[in-house]
């Protein structure tokens, strides 16, 4: 049986054996069957076979694994047999590979976990004398202690309640019985083998490190043991040096009350390490760990007592070495560095002169940690995948660094200003500062602006009055690099409020935006960013730029000309196509659109800008009449950019100036609009072009006022042709703007196009227009949902701008029933509560517009009866009774307010004609008790007390729901 088992193990688990899969499966099944033997039988089998020599390693490992399973269920009565076999077992396995010895130590650790101290009272006492047998015995003992820590004692891993209790039992027993002897054994092993077998000494140090958190600290933090550890941290043997440093760190980090901890730190005399800068990196974690604990003591003890002062002295003593390792050692985790420094800065609420020096060093650490790796310099300049990943990672890691920088700025503003002065001066004056250093300096100065008050920013208090001019005139040797140029532009924009108040620096700011540092930078992405930021600067400075308009326009002449002189057959469009010029033209528009510019100059500038742009459009239109121009043609793309440029240009002009102050300017824009509207006729199916013209039309509505009305019929007719859902939604947005702007003045135009609008929308939307299956979240469905949403907004805008009469015109009337039915269904059960609220508001306006008060001839015969008999019951009662109407939802409560308000309006308009029908037919149909219906009627009659009606009606609905046990569902 035993020989068969060994053969089966080799067939199943020997990685070097070439075995037929069927045979291997049989072998595995045979081994599994053997494992299912009773624990006593399995124990005997393993303890009998393991000492045999020779025995292949796979067999030994399998037997040890089986032994491990057996001891888990081992009754105490079998324990003596197991223990008696241990010496022979340990001896025969002493020269085995590490994985075999680790498995044996795991078995022993399991037995200790289960049986120590009650059934096996002295495992450690029994094993300690055997350490004299030599390195193999020492190695096995250390492996046992490591296994016990891994499996049970360590608090680094989550444990269940049973394991936690077992760990406490074992630790308590060890403390009572043998921990001092074990600590002495560590010392002896480390001392004995440090020269002959340093790896064994390192293992003993590692075990000591594991056990220090829960043993008496005096067993290791004593003169003899500490002397040994300090000798080893200066050893030439890296393995010993690292292990000893980790052991010292465990001593330093031991959890204790602050005063005993302070005494411990003081007793360690770490100054012997701080004086050795040459070993700084190898001891980086130890030095920073010591500083962290000293800082924690200071924070817990406070600064107003002797102990707190003592803790601060220890910290001050450690900080120079801490800064050294932080700035020179790659091994130190940057996250831990920032966390420690943040804690330090926040603790120094009123720093002394010495601490201010240290805080200055904190700023140096922040700057150093921010530096990009020079290896990625080219990747960042012409950003590829690697460069973009590096930027993303740096942006993430800088979040904590910038937070630390802001903390330093609050605690030590003068130190921060002086640091920024030196850093910026170095960046400006030194030709040797590289890309990464300049970028970090500018990034910090940008963040420094976040810490400065608006008042200080405007006045340039402190050193700002010196630093900002220095920045504006700076020309770095590495300014051509993308990341330097971008952060430079962002930084000067941050300080533009200073320029606003100190206008003598405007020429410097303009140069920075307009020369090769900005819009004329060779990098397209920098040029684009400069255009955007320049536009923002123009918005801020505005009238202060009037004396510089000529100079600015001259500087931008080549940039503007680029949009009218492109060679259609060249690749120029491809290289510059992503820059649409809109920010540049918007900035120009803001400049020349000011009333401070004389009318003559304003007209001159505008003609000079519009003429070449419109010539480009005219040329395209003329050529298209002679030959077909493909939609993907570069000329089409260029005209799209042209329209965007004209649109952006117009943003600088106000309606008052264009229509009243200087009508000549208005005429130019009307002529421009006339030219651009031809595009809709010539290219009716080019959606991108249509979208650009529509966007321009929006803008012209804002500035041309009523003078745009003659242009609308043709424009709207063209935009309505063959509109798809997205274009139709955009068209309705335009109509909403026109209605909001012109109110009743647009009634005639709206009446002409309304039938086309409604028929097209109803054709595009599904018949079940208020519901889309959430499972179909496609682009097409999203466009239809958006069209539906804008349709309700369109009807709402019509109703609330006195245009409901359009619905009653002969051409629109045939769609009226469909619209009313749609509004009714939507007001009752659309999934979007805010859309339902819109529909209720539409009905309220239609009631007021179309119905006479109490009696008389209504504008729409039958509408009054529809409202009283259908809308009031289905929307104001049944839909509210439905379980989907959730009063705890804020939007639903807003809808409820509108529904109750609608009832009040119906009573005000129709009187008892509404009230009697609702009380005698609507409420009884919902099984409302008579007394509650009468109370509702009385509340309805109370003038100007809608709040009381709302409160009562909510309680009424909740009572009716309870009465129906939630069974009522509106359909």
């Amino acid at each position: 049986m035993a020989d068969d088992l060994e053969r089966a193990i080799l067939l199943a688990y020997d990685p070097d054996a070439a075995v037929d899969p069927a045979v291997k499966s049989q072998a595995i099944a045979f081994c599994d069957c053997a494992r299912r033997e009773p624990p006593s039988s399995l124990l005997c089998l393993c303890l009998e076979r393991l000492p045999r020599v020779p025995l292949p390693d796979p067999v030994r490992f399998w037997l040890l694994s089986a032994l491990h399973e057996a001891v888990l269920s081992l009754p105490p009565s079998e324990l003596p047999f197991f223990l008696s076999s241990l010496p022979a077992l340990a001896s025969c396995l002493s020269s085995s590979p590490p994985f075999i010895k680790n498995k044996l130590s795991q078995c022993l650790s399991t037995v200790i976990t289960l049986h120590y101290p009650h059934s096996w009272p002295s495992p450690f006492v029994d094993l300690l004398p055997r350490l004299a047998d030599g390195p193999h015995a020492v190695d096995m003992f250390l492996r046992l202690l490591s296994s016990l820590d891994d499996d049970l004692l360590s608090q680094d891993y989550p444990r269940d309640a049973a394991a936690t209790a077992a760990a406490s039992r074992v630790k308590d027993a060890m403390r009572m019985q043998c921990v001092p002897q074990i600590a002495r054994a560590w010392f002896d092993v480390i001392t004995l083998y440090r020269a002959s077998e340093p790896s064994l000494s390192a293992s003993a140090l590692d075990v000591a490190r594991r056990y220090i958190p829960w043993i008496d600290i005096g067993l290791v933090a004593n003169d003899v043991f500490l002397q040994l550890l300090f000798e080893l941290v200066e050893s030439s043997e890296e393995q010993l040096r690292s292990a000893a440093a980790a052991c010292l760190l465990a001593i330093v980090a031991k959890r204790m009350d602050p005063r005993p901890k302070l005494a411990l730190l003081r007793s360690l005399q770490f100054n012997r390490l701080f004086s050795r800068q040459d070993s700084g990196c190898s001891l980086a974690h130890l030095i920073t760990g010591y500083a962290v604990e000293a800082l924690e003591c200071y924070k817990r003890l406070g600064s107003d007592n002797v102990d707190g002062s003592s803790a601060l002295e220890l910290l001050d003593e450690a900080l120079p070495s801490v800064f050294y390792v932080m700035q020179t050692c790659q091994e130190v985790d940057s996250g831990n560095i920032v966390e420690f420094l943040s804690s330090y800065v926040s603790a120094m609420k009123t720093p002394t002169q010495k601490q201010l020096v240290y805080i200055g060093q904190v700023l140096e650490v922040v700057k150093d940690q921010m530096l990009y790796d020079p290896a990625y310099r080219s990747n960042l300049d012409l950003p590829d995948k690697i460069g973009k990943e590096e930027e993303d990672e740096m942006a993430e890691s800088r979040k904590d660094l910038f937070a630390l920088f802001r903390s330093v700025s609050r605690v030590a503003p003068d130190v921060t200003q002086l640091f920024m002065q030196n850093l910026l001066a170095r960046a400006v004056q030194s030709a040797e500062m590289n890309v990464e250093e300049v970028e970090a300096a500018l990034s910090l100065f940008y963040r420094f602006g976040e810490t400065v008050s608006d008042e200080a920013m405007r006045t340039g208090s402190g050193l700002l009055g010196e630093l900002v001019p220095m920045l504006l005139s700076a020309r770095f040797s590495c300014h051509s690099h993308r990341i330097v140029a971008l952060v430079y532009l962002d930084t000067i924009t941050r300080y533009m409020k200073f320029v606003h108040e100190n206008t003598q620096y405007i020429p410097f700011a303009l140069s920075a935006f307009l020369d090769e540092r900005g819009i004329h930078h060779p990098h397209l992405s920098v040029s684009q960013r400069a255009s955007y930021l320049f536009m923002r600067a123009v918005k801020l400075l505005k009238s202060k730029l009037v004396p510089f308009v000529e100079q600015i326009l001259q500087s931008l002449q080549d940039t503007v000309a680029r949009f009218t002189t492109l060679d259609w057959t060249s690749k120029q469009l491809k290289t510059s196509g992503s820059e649409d010029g809109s920010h540049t033209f918007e900035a120009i528009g803001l400049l020349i659109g000011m009333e401070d510019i004389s009318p003559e100059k304003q007209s001159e500038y505008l003609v000079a800008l519009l003429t070449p742009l419109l010539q480009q459009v005219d040329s395209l239109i003329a050529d298209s009449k002679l030959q077909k121009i493909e939609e993907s043609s570069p000329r089409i793309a260029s005209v799209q950019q042209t329209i965007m440029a004209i649109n952006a240009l117009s943003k600088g002009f106000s309606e008052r100036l264009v229509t009243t102050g200087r009508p000549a300017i208005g005429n130019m824009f009307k002529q421009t609009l006339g030219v651009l509207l031809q595009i809709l006729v010539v290219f009716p199916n080019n959606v991108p072009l249509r979208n650009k013209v529509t966007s321009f039309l929006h803008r012209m509505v804002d500035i041309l006022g009523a003078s745009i009305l003659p242009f609308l019929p043709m424009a709207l007719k063209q935009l309505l042709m063959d509109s798809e859902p997205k274009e139709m939604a955009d068209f309705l947005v335009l109509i909403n703007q026109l209605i909001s702007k012109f109110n009743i003045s647009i009634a005639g135009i709206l009446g002409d196009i309304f039938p086309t609008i409604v028929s097209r929308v109803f054709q595009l939307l599904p018949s079940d227009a208020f519901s889309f299956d959430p499972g179909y979240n496609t682009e097409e469905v999203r466009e239809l949902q958006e069209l539906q949403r804008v349709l309700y907004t369109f009807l709402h805008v019509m109703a609330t701008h006195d245009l409901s009469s359009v619905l009653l015109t002969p051409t629109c009337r045939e769609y009226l029933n469909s619209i009313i039915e749609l509004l009714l269904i939507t007001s009752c059960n659309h999934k979007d509560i805010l859309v339902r609220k819109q529909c209720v508001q539409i009905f309220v306006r239609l009631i007021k517009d179309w119905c006479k008060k109490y009696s008389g001839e209504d504008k729409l015969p039958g509408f009054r009866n529809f409202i009283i008999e259908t809308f009031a019951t289905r929307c104001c009662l049944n839909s509210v009774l439905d379980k989907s109407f959730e009063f705890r939802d804020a939007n639903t409560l807003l809808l409820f307010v509108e529904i109750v308000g609608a009832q009040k309006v119906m009573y005000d308009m129709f009187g008892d004609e509404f009230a009697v029908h609702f009380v005698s037919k609507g409420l009884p149909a919902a099984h409302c008790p008579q007394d509650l219906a009468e109370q509702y009627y009385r509340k309805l009659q109370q003038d100007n007390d809608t709040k009381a009606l709302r409160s009562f009606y909510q309680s009424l609905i909740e009572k009716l729901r309870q009465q129906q046990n939630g069974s009522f569902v509106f359909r």
Side-chain angles (χ1 to χ4, degrees):
M1 164 67 180
D3 292 338
D4 289 342
L5 178 60
E6 289 183 21
R7 283 195 293 275
I9 293 169
L10 290 172
L11 288 171
Y13 300 110
D14 187 351
D16 299 325
V19 183
D20 180 84
V23 175
K24 186 170 186 175
S25 296
Q26 290 177 349
I28 291 173
F30 187 84
C31 294
D32 290 344
C33 183
R35 269 187 199 257
R36 290 193 290 271
E37 290 287 320
S40 299
S41 301
L42 193 59
L43 181 71
C44 290
L45 172 67
C46 294
L47 292 178
E48 178 193 349
R49 304 299 295 180
L50 277 167
R52 293 195 175 188
V53 180
L55 197 65
D57 287 337
V59 176
R60 277 186 171 164
F61 188 80
W62 189 94
L63 290 170
L64 284 169
S65 298
L67 179 64
H68 185 235
E69 289 184 18
V71 299
L72 284 171
S73 307
L74 191 68
S77 59
E78 299 286 345
L79 191 60
F81 173 60
F82 172 76
L83 298 179
S84 65
S85 306
L86 275 181
L89 192 59
S91 176
C92 75
L93 298 179
S94 61
S95 58
S96 297
F99 73 95
I100 298 289
K101 291 190 279 189
N102 287 342
K103 198 63 188 177
L104 176 59
S105 67
Q106 191 179 17
C107 289
L108 293 175
S109 129
T110 300
V111 177
I112 290 171
T113 300
L114 294 172
H115 298 285
Y116 177 69
H118 46 277
S119 301
W120 189 9
S122 56
F124 305 103
V125 174
D126 295 342
L127 292 171
L128 280 167
R130 296 187 177 277
L131 298 182
D133 294 348
H136 289 309
V138 171
D139 178 59
M140 197 66 238
F141 182 68
L142 295 175
R143 288 180 190 275
L144 169 61
L145 293 178
S146 293
S147 250
L148 190 62
D149 181 66
D150 286 337
D151 299 340
L152 182 68
L153 304 181
S154 174
Q155 294 181 335
D156 294 339
Y157 312 104
R159 312 282 189 195
D160 59 24
T164 302
S168 296
R169 167 173 48 82
V170 171
K171 287 177 181 176
D172 290 343
M174 290 180 71
R175 289 189 191 100
M176 292 285 293
Q177 186 187 56
C178 58
V179 167
Q181 296 94 307
I182 291 174
R184 178 68 199 189
W186 294 333
F187 179 85
D188 292 341
V189 166
I190 295 164
T191 305
L192 181 61
Y193 293 105
R194 59 188 289 190
S196 60
E197 295 199 42
S199 62
L200 205 55
S201 287
S203 296
L205 287 164
D206 181 63
V207 171
R209 172 191 64 79
R210 291 164 172 260
Y211 281 67
I212 284 170
W214 60 269
I215 66 173
D216 178 4
I217 193 64
L219 295 173
V220 287
N222 53 60
D223 292 344
V224 177
F225 213 122
L226 287 174
Q227 182 60 37
L228 174 61
L229 292 176
F230 279 113
E231 287 176 11
L232 293 175
V233 295
E234 297 180 0
S235 166
S236 59
E237 179 64 49
E238 170 60 28
Q239 192 177 16
L240 283 176
R241 190 166 65 246
S242 297
C247 207
L248 280 169
L249 181 57
I251 294 172
V252 166
K254 187 171 176 70
R255 296 178 64 179
M256 300 170 67
D257 289 335
R259 283 186 171 78
K261 182 62 166 283
L262 177 62
L264 171 65
L265 295 179
R266 197 184 294 117
S267 71
L268 295 177
Q269 299 179 16
F270 258 47
N271 54 349
R272 65 185 104 176
L273 296 180
F274 301 147
S275 61
R276 291 182 54 83
Q277 297 286 17
D278 58 322
S279 61
C281 280
S282 62
L283 304 178
H285 294 293
L286 175 58
I287 290 170
T288 54
Y290 177 89
V292 166
E293 296 299 325
L295 175 59
E296 188 60 26
C297 280
Y298 171 72
K299 288 165 66 177
R300 293 171 67 187
L301 292 168
S303 57
D304 55 352
N305 58 76
V306 174
D307 288 330
S309 300
S310 179
L312 190 58
E313 287 175 10
L314 293 180
L315 180 61
D316 287 345
E317 192 177 49
L319 279 174
S321 294
V322 172
F323 288 122
Y324 174 80
V325 301
M326 285 179 176
Q327 291 176 289
T328 59
C329 305
Q330 297 295 323
E331 295 85 353
V332 182
D333 180 66
S334 60
N336 292 337
I337 290 175
V338 175
E339 185 179 355
F340 166 72
L341 293 179
S342 298
S343 185
Y344 173 76
V345 170
S346 64
M348 302 298 117
K349 294 181 176 61
T350 52
T352 63
Q353 195 59 42
K354 179 192 282 188
Q355 287 152 8
L356 288 173
V357 173
Y358 290 143
I359 288 173
Q361 289 183 270
V362 171
L363 292 171
E364 289 289 345
V365 173
V366 170
K367 186 261 294 179
D368 291 342
Q369 291 291 321
M370 283 177 56
L371 295 175
Y372 279 103
D373 187 335
Y376 299 112
R377 189 175 294 174
S378 60
N379 304 97
L380 290 164
D381 190 29
L382 294 170
D384 53 16
K385 182 182 178 183
I386 295 173
K388 289 172 183 174
E389 288 175 356
E390 182 68 9
E391 271 193 285
D392 291 342
E393 289 177 13
M394 181 59 80
E396 188 61 32
S397 66
R398 281 183 174 183
K399 289 178 181 176
D400 292 335
L401 291 168
F402 288 143
L404 173 56
F405 180 76
R406 287 191 294 271
S407 296
V408 173
S409 300
R410 285 193 299 271
V411 171
D414 293 340
V415 170
T416 308
Q417 286 204 46
L418 187 60
F419 169 80
M420 285 312 317
Q421 182 190 36
N422 293 333
L423 188 61
L424 198 59
R426 233 173 26 244
V428 171
Q429 296 164 9
S430 171
E432 298 177 0
M433 280 192 84
N434 58 37
V435 167
E436 294 74 27
E437 291 172 320
V438 172
E439 191 277 337
L442 290 172
S443 294
L444 281 174
F445 192 41
Y446 175 86
R447 295 293 171 175
F448 180 66
E450 295 176 347
T451 69
V452 177
S453 68
D454 275 356
E455 179 64 24
M457 182 74 80
R458 288 194 297 270
T459 60
S461 63
L463 293 173
L464 273 183
E466 174 187 338
L467 295 179
V468 178
M470 185 192 304
L471 175 74
L472 291 171
S473 58
R475 293 176 182 271
F476 307 105
S477 57
C478 55
H479 216 127
S480 60
H481 197 284
R482 185 184 68 89
I483 62 171
V484 170
L486 286 174
V487 72
Y488 176 77
L489 290 167
D490 283 335
T491 306
I492 62 173
T493 304
R494 166 77 79 185
Y495 292 96
M496 206 48 58
K497 287 180 182 176
F498 172 83
V499 178
H500 183 271
E501 297 298 319
N502 299 271
T503 53
Q504 68 269 32
Y505 297 110
I506 286 179
F508 297 95
L510 291 176
S511 294
F513 281 119
L514 298 172
D515 64 20
E516 69 282 354
R517 291 171 291 174
I519 289 174
H520 288 92
H521 195 280
H523 260 293
L524 181 61
S525 61
V526 176
S527 176
Q528 291 174 335
R529 182 68 177 165
S531 295
Y532 168 70
L533 294 176
F534 176 61
M535 179 268 292
R536 282 178 49 189
V538 170
K539 279 186 177 180
L540 176 68
L541 298 173
K542 267 204 156 175
S543 60
K544 296 179 185 293
L545 294 177
V546 170
F548 306 95
V549 169
E550 290 277 1
Q551 174 192 336
I552 293 170
L553 292 178
Q554 190 172 354
S555 296
L556 292 174
Q557 192 169 359
D558 60 336
T559 305
V560 170
R562 190 167 73 236
F563 297 95
T564 57
T565 58
L566 291 173
D567 178 2
W568 312 118
T569 60
S570 76
K571 295 182 179 179
Q572 194 175 359
L573 265 169
K574 293 182 180 178
T575 58
S576 66
S578 58
E579 162 64 291
D580 59 33
S582 58
H583 294 133
T584 302
F585 279 91
E586 185 173 352
I588 293 173
L590 291 166
L591 285 168
I592 68 173
M594 291 185 287
E595 293 188 21
D596 305 76
I597 306 294
S598 69
E600 297 76 22
K601 276 291 182 185
Q602 200 169 55
S603 296
E604 178 188 331
Y605 294 146
L606 193 56
V607 167
L609 288 160
L610 288 177
T611 300
L613 293 171
L614 291 178
Q615 285 173 349
Q616 198 168 349
V617 178
D618 283 331
S619 172
L620 177 68
I621 291 172
D623 290 348
S624 70
K625 293 176 181 177
L626 301 174
Q627 60 180 335
K628 181 177 175 59
I629 297 178
E630 295 294 328
E631 189 171 315
S632 58
S633 164
R635 294 187 67 183
I636 296 287
S638 176
V639 168
Q640 288 182 46
Q641 288 187 323
T642 298
I643 299 170
M644 293 171 69
I646 297 172
N647 195 7
L649 185 67
S650 71
K651 292 179 181 178
F653 294 83
S654 68
E655 181 179 358
R656 187 175 62 81
L657 182 140
V658 165
T659 59
T660 306
R662 300 176 185 180
I665 300 294
N667 289 332
M668 286 189 221
F669 279 115
K670 280 188 275 188
Q671 291 167 11
T672 301
L673 178 60
V675 172
L676 296 187
L677 288 180
Q678 293 179 52
I679 290 173
L680 298 178
V681 179
V682 178
F683 300 100
N685 300 316
N686 190 301
V687 175
L689 271 179
R690 282 159 56 101
N691 290 340
K692 298 296 184 293
V693 174
T694 302
S695 178
F696 183 66
L697 199 52
H698 277 290
R699 181 66 200 145
M700 291 301 98
V701 171
D702 283 338
I703 68 170
L704 290 179
S707 62
I708 198 176
L709 292 176
F711 293 89
L712 293 180
M714 184 277 283
L716 299 178
K717 178 184 175 182
Q718 290 299 131
L719 289 173
L720 266 174
M721 291 177 60
D722 300 323
S723 296
E724 292 304 312
K726 187 178 186 310
E727 287 72 50
M728 196 66 213
D730 292 341
F731 178 82
L732 288 178
V733 170
L734 174 62
I735 296 299
N736 292 340
Q737 181 193 16
L738 291 170
I739 295 172
S740 300
K741 179 83 172 176
F742 300 116
N743 297 304
I744 198 70
S745 302
I746 201 78
I749 295 173
L750 185 59
D752 291 339
I753 62 172
F754 186 83
T756 309
I757 292 174
V758 176
S759 62
R760 183 61 181 154
V761 170
F762 280 3
Q763 181 185 349
L764 291 170
L765 290 176
S767 57
D768 188 11
F770 57 84
S771 174
F772 290 97
D773 189 334
Y776 294 94
N777 187 24
T778 63
E779 182 65 27
E780 181 182 358
V781 168
R782 287 193 292 271
E783 287 180 0
L784 289 172
Q785 288 173 326
E786 177 62 15
L787 174 57
Q788 180 200 99
R789 186 189 66 78
V790 178
L791 170 64
Y792 294 123
T793 303
F794 165 58
L795 295 172
H796 185 268
V797 171
M798 279 185 65
T800 54
H801 286 77
D802 302 317
L803 287 167
S804 63
S805 58
V806 171
L807 297 171
L808 303 180
T809 59
T811 55
C812 302
R813 197 127 180 188
E814 65 176 288
Y815 299 101
L816 189 54
N817 287 340
S818 299
I819 291 171
I820 295 296
E821 182 64 21
L822 176 64
L823 290 173
L824 175 66
I825 295 172
T826 305
S827 68
C828 292
N829 55 1
H830 196 284
K831 291 179 181 178
D832 189 331
I833 296 295
L834 296 180
V835 169
R836 288 170 68 173
K837 186 182 80 159
Q838 268 188 326
C839 291
V840 174
Q841 290 171 335
I842 292 170
F843 274 119
V844 169
R845 287 304 301 252
L846 295 181
I847 292 168
K848 293 177 178 179
D849 289 352
W850 292 351
C851 299
K852 292 288 185 180
K853 196 163 186 178
Y854 300 126
S855 62
E857 187 178 345
D858 295 333
K859 291 183 181 178
L860 180 62
F863 184 66
R864 176 189 299 256
N865 290 339
F866 166 80
I867 292 294
I868 293 172
E869 296 172 9
T870 305
F871 171 73
T873 304
R874 289 177 61 179
C875 178
C876 300
L877 178 59
N878 293 349
S879 73
V880 183
L881 281 169
D882 190 83
K883 60 183 179 182
S884 65
F885 199 95
E886 180 54 71
F887 283 106
R888 288 175 296 183
D889 176 67
N891 286 334
T892 304
L893 277 178
L894 292 176
L895 170 60
F896 185 68
V897 168
E898 295 296 335
I899 286 173
V900 174
Q903 295 173 61
K904 199 72 175 167
V905 168
M906 285 186 283
Y907 181 71
D908 290 342
M909 294 294 293
F910 309 141
D912 282 344
E913 188 180 357
F914 157 69
V916 170
H917 185 279
F918 196 74
V919 169
S920 64
K921 293 186 178 180
L923 289 174
H927 310 293
C928 177
Q930 183 64 30
D931 61 324
L932 290 179
E934 291 173 357
Q935 286 183 56
Y936 168 79
Y937 183 41
R938 288 195 295 273
K939 292 287 184 184
L940 191 63
Q941 291 175 306
Q942 295 174 6
D943 292 336
N944 302 320
D945 198 357
T946 307
K947 186 175 181 182
L949 176 62
R950 187 164 67 241
S951 177
F952 172 79
Y953 195 58
Q954 181 174 343
S955 67
L956 171 64
I957 294 297
E958 288 169 344
K959 286 174 183 175
L960 292 179
R961 284 183 179 179
Q962 292 171 3
Q963 180 177 299
Q964 293 152 6
N965 295 320
S967 62
F968 183 91
V969 179
F970 170 69
R971 291 282 181 263

